[in-house]
Amino acid sequence: MIFDNQSAVERRDRLREEGKIELPLNVDTKKYILSLIKYRDILISLPLMAIGFLVLWYLVHAGYSFSAQLLLICLSPWGTFLLILTLHHPDRKNINFFTHRVIWRIQFNRRQKLFVYTKGDFMSSKQKKNASKDIREQLGIKNVYSECYETTDNRFVKVIRVSSVNLSLLNKKEKTKIFQAYETFLNDLPRSMLPLQVSQIAQPINLTNYGRYIDDQTAKEESYPKAILAKSYLKYVDDIQKSKNMVSRNRYVIMARPFNSMNRKKVLDELERDVKIVSTQIENMLGGRYELKTKVLDNEELFHLMFACIDYENAQVNFSFKTALFSPLTVGERTYEEMSGSWQQMKTDHIM
């Protein structure tokens, strides 16, 4: 396996020496007749052209004399439509005006925008005709169960969050070493654990644990001014994680296994075992300061990940935490420990 360890600066200098430049543009595979008119546009507009010639033929046979002005009038709808097809999106030049202002608008108006969640089994085909489509069918996720997704096509899906290493700060030797370690990791994976999906997902920054830590540290503060200051700081932290400008990129390794009603429990146990093996191999892949950390997402984290993927903007509000200066409930230390343990167990086993 050959790795490209060149930085952007090295690549730019090499291309400059070769008298070349790199254009960061997508290759347009469409065929053009002229600089703006594509063969595809001509084919799409052919019906209007045919209608224009039919109207011209009818008018000539009705007694009108053929002239350039009459020809221009008959073909003006076709020319106007062809002109519209040559207009492009101001930012995305590969999308024309007709597509993003007409076709996409029609598709948006026709598609279902409200999805419901129905308890129990899915509706029958007869019931679906008179009801909105279930959100589970749209997402393909039937349930969040035992720290995994249960999909509508009968698969268990486990998600592992993996820490990252900033390769841009490493030298060529360190990069090569890390790439070789990753290659070894892939080669050592048993065939039974494949396919393996690696995804990078942008999510709202989550400072909930940090906020809870600050809240715990300042919970016994007796000074009222300091308590007010701590509360305002927690509000500031909460505003940061709600900001649309604060984004974190998380890396995930995703594993899935199909199951049926007969081997459901067995497949789930095998998947949990494979996830532990993969997590251990990832953590042992690199050593020293480059060591990676893994975390198997629990039910609540899986729900937040799904929420962020389907509604990113509102997912930022979903991460907010609430604090109070004084608790209206006073319990003993033993009762508090029991309640805290029950709460943590509930968070692990259920979707909050």
Side-chain angles (χ1 to χ4, degrees):
M1 183 179 293
I2 301 176
F3 300 101
D4 185 6
N5 298 324
Q6 290 181 325
S7 66
V9 177
E10 293 173 346
R11 179 175 176 80
R12 184 189 61 193
D13 294 340
R14 180 177 61 81
L15 291 175
R16 183 180 298 172
E17 292 176 358
E18 297 175 358
K20 302 177 182 178
I21 59 173
E22 184 175 10
L23 298 177
L25 301 174
N26 294 327
V27 177
D28 190 357
T29 58
K30 299 181 178 66
K31 305 297 183 180
Y32 286 81
I33 298 177
L34 299 175
S35 60
L36 296 177
I37 302 177
K38 300 184 284 289
Y39 283 101
R40 179 174 175 270
D41 297 339
I42 297 294
L43 291 175
I44 293 175
S45 61
L46 276 180
L48 279 178
M49 181 191 293
I51 293 174
F53 279 112
L54 286 175
V55 172
L56 177 64
W57 176 83
Y58 176 79
L59 292 177
V60 170
H61 282 72
Y64 290 89
S65 60
F66 178 80
S67 63
Q69 183 178 4
L70 182 62
L71 177 64
L72 183 62
I73 293 174
C74 294
L75 295 182
S76 59
W78 169 72
T80 303
F81 182 67
L82 188 62
L83 178 62
I84 292 175
L85 292 179
T86 60
L87 300 178
H88 292 82
H89 191 279
D91 298 321
R92 303 172 64 182
K93 301 300 182 182
N94 59 325
I95 300 176
N96 59 45
F97 174 86
F98 184 75
T99 299
H100 85 273
R101 296 295 292 179
V102 179
I103 297 179
W104 286 0
R105 175 60 60 180
I106 294 175
Q107 292 176 349
F108 173 77
N109 292 332
R110 294 180 59 184
R111 75 183 185 187
Q112 181 180 340
K113 303 179 183 64
L114 178 63
F115 297 90
V116 298
Y117 176 82
T118 56
K119 294 183 178 180
D121 297 332
F122 293 117
M123 294 181 291
S124 63
S125 57
K126 184 177 181 180
Q127 292 173 322
K128 290 179 183 178
K129 295 180 180 179
N130 301 322
S132 300
K133 191 174 183 180
D134 196 315
I135 184 63
R136 295 177 294 174
E137 296 179 82
Q138 182 71 12
L139 297 177
I141 298 177
K142 185 188 302 183
N143 191 18
V144 180
Y145 165 77
S146 187
E147 298 185 349
C148 64
Y149 293 123
E150 182 181 353
T151 64
T152 55
D153 57 350
N154 292 332
R155 288 183 299 130
F156 284 131
V157 181
K158 284 274 191 180
V159 182
I160 308 171
R161 183 171 59 236
V162 185
S163 61
S164 60
V165 177
N166 191 350
L167 296 178
S168 61
L169 302 179
L170 305 181
N171 56 42
K172 185 176 181 179
K173 183 178 180 181
E174 291 174 327
K175 289 181 181 179
T176 303
K177 185 178 180 180
I178 290 177
F179 286 139
Q180 290 176 348
Y182 183 58
E183 180 183 4
T184 303
F185 162 75
L186 294 177
N187 291 332
D188 291 343
L189 279 177
R191 186 175 295 273
S192 60
M193 296 185 183
L194 300 176
L196 200 68
Q197 180 181 352
V198 180
S199 298
Q200 178 178 277
I201 303 176
Q203 295 177 252
I205 189 170
N206 188 356
L207 300 176
T208 304
N209 292 333
Y210 176 69
R212 289 172 180 169
Y213 169 77
I214 297 298
D215 192 26
D216 292 339
Q217 294 296 316
T218 59
K220 299 180 180 180
E221 183 59 55
E222 298 179 356
S223 173
Y224 186 75
K226 291 183 179 180
I228 292 294
L229 183 62
K231 182 180 179 181
S232 64
Y233 179 70
L234 286 173
K235 184 179 182 303
Y236 171 72
V237 173
D238 197 20
D239 292 339
I240 289 178
Q241 70 174 0
K242 289 181 180 179
S243 173
K244 296 181 180 180
N245 297 326
M246 303 299 293
V247 177
S248 62
R249 293 188 179 275
N250 296 321
R251 282 79 179 171
Y252 297 98
V253 174
I254 304 170
M255 302 178 64
R257 295 290 182 273
F259 70 92
N260 53 45
S261 58
M262 303 296 294
N263 62 356
R264 178 187 179 95
K265 184 66 170 62
K266 179 182 177 182
V267 170
L268 184 59
D269 293 339
E270 292 177 352
L271 180 58
E272 290 180 352
R273 181 200 62 196
D274 292 344
V275 165
K276 291 180 181 179
I277 294 175
V278 171
S279 299
T280 303
Q281 290 181 337
I282 292 175
E283 292 177 349
N284 295 333
M285 181 171 57
L286 303 176
R289 56 178 178 171
Y290 306 124
E291 183 180 1
L292 299 175
K293 301 295 183 181
T294 61
K295 170 70 168 61
V296 181
L297 300 190
D298 56 27
N299 290 348
E300 183 180 6
E301 291 169 329
L302 289 172
F303 177 78
H304 286 315
L305 176 61
M306 179 176 62
F307 195 91
C309 290
I310 62 177
D311 191 358
Y312 178 83
E313 292 187 0
N314 292 325
Q316 292 168 310
V317 181
N318 198 41
F319 284 139
S320 63
F321 52 88
K322 304 297 181 182
T323 59
L325 286 178
F326 304 102
S327 174
L329 179 65
T330 303
V331 296
E333 183 177 353
R334 181 177 177 181
T335 305
Y336 173 77
E337 292 178 355
E338 294 176 354
M339 292 174 60
S340 179
S342 301
W343 175 250
Q344 293 296 332
Q345 184 66 30
M346 185 180 297
K347 287 173 57 181
T348 303
D349 297 338
H350 302 279
I351 301 176
M352 307 304 292

